[in-house]
Amino acid sequence: MAQMTWEEIAEQLIRDLQKGKYTSGEKLPSENKLAGELQVSRAEVRKAYSRLKELGYVYSLQGYGSFFAGKKEKIPLAMVGSTSFTQKMEELGIPHESRNIQAKRISYRQPIYESLGLSKDEPVWKVALLRIVDGAPAAVYTRYLPEKYFPRLPREAGGILSFHQHLLQNGCTQFHGENSQMTVGLLTRLEQEVLELPAASTGLVFSSKTVRDPDGAVLEVYRTVYRADRFIFVYS
C-alpha cells in the first residue's frame, strides 16, 4: 500500500478538524507522533502542517508544537457588483480596518503601462492597502494609478484608505470593471509578510482594471490578494 502524501495528510487533518476531533486551542500530535501513526516520513507531516497553517487552521508556538486555531467562517464576497469592500464588511457587521502600506511612483513597467494605455514618460503611482478583518490580516489591495487623471497623487497617495472613495473624491462617478480574472497564484514578498503567510504561499488573486464611462479612460489596474482561509467568492 502506497504511503500517504502530504496533500492527503492535510486533507485528512482538515476533515478531522471540521468534524470536531479537536477543540479550539488544543495541541495537535507532534510531527514525530503523527508520522508514526500514519507510517509516513516526518517531512510529509511537516509539509501538511505548513499547509494547514497557510489556510489558517493551525498555529504554532515555538518549542510547544502546533495547535488548532478553531473553525473560521469564510466571508462571502461577490465576484461582480458595485459594493466596496468597506461597505460589504459594514453590511456583514464585521470589524475591519484599512492601512496604507505602500505609496510610491513606479518606474516604467511594460505590462502595467500598456494596460493603462500610457506612454513611458507618464507618471504612474502604486498604492497598496492592507485589509484587516476581525483583527487579522486578510487581504492586500494594490492599485496602479495614472497621475494624469489624479494630479494630487504626489500629495495624497500615502493617505488613501479606500480606492472607491478616492475615485469619487476625484470626480469619477461613472466607471466599471473590465478584464476581471480570479486565479490562485503565488504572492509577492510584501504580500506574504503583511498577510503573515510562509514563503511560497498562494492566495486568491483577483485582477482587473477600472474604466471610466463614457470615454473609456483606464483609471487604474489592480491586483487584490485574499487569504484563502478568510474568503469565499460568490456570484450575485
Side-chain angles (χ1 to χ4, degrees):
M1 184 176 178
Q3 286 189 344
M4 295 176 68
T5 64
W6 69 266
E7 293 96 336
E8 292 170 333
I9 297 169
E11 289 175 1
Q12 178 177 311
L13 287 169
I14 289 172
R15 287 194 295 270
D16 290 342
L17 295 172
Q18 292 176 336
K19 290 177 181 178
K21 183 175 180 179
Y22 302 95
T23 59
S24 180
E26 183 176 350
K27 185 176 180 180
L28 301 178
S30 68
E31 292 177 1
N32 281 333
K33 182 178 180 180
L34 189 57
E37 291 177 354
L38 300 177
Q39 297 185 346
V40 298
S41 71
R42 182 179 176 184
E44 292 295 295
V45 174
R46 186 180 300 115
K47 290 179 183 178
Y49 273 161
S50 293
R51 173 55 58 86
L52 265 62
K53 291 173 191 175
E54 181 180 333
L55 295 175
Y57 285 101
V58 169
Y59 64 91
S60 294
L61 296 176
Q62 189 172 3
Y64 293 93
S66 298
F67 299 81
F68 179 34
K71 291 184 178 180
K72 294 182 180 178
E73 294 296 327
K74 292 191 177 184
I75 301 167
L77 286 180
M79 286 289 291
V80 294
S82 57
T83 303
S84 70
F85 180 88
T86 298
Q87 290 172 322
K88 182 64 175 178
M89 294 303 102
E90 289 176 350
E91 288 174 2
L92 294 172
I94 300 174
H96 62 279
E97 176 189 353
S98 295
R99 296 179 186 172
N100 190 310
I101 57 173
Q102 191 173 69
K104 65 178 183 179
R105 180 176 170 178
I106 66 170
S107 56
Y108 174 73
R109 300 180 193 177
Q110 184 177 353
I112 294 172
Y113 271 70
E114 286 184 353
S115 295
L116 290 168
L118 301 178
S119 61
K120 290 183 178 181
D121 60 344
E122 295 182 271
V124 172
W125 285 75
K126 176 184 178 182
V127 180
L129 304 183
L130 172 63
R131 306 292 197 183
I132 299 172
V133 176
D134 206 12
V140 176
Y141 283 46
T142 302
R143 299 293 193 268
Y144 296 93
L145 306 159
E147 190 175 312
K148 73 175 184 179
Y149 297 132
F150 307 104
R152 300 196 299 270
L153 275 172
R155 301 189 305 275
E156 297 181 348
I160 294 174
L161 293 176
S162 166
F163 293 113
H164 186 80
Q165 285 299 316
H166 178 256
L167 292 175
L168 296 178
Q169 289 166 2
N170 282 270
C172 304
T173 58
Q174 295 183 322
F175 48 84
H176 66 278
E178 284 188 5
N179 299 343
S180 300
Q181 184 179 18
M182 175 64 72
T183 60
V184 176
L186 291 173
L187 310 188
T188 66
R189 182 176 298 178
L190 174 63
E191 291 164 347
Q192 291 170 11
E193 289 176 355
V194 298
L195 291 176
E196 299 178 1
L197 293 171
S201 293
T202 58
L204 299 172
V205 181
F206 182 69
S207 58
S208 187
K209 63 182 179 180
T210 301
V211 179
R212 185 171 63 192
D213 298 321
D215 64 356
V218 181
L219 299 175
E220 60 182 10
V221 295
Y222 60 88
R223 165 189 171 95
T224 303
V225 175
Y226 299 92
R227 283 191 58 136
D229 59 312
R230 302 303 308 279
F231 297 96
I232 184 171
F233 287 84
V234 297
Y235 288 88
S236 61

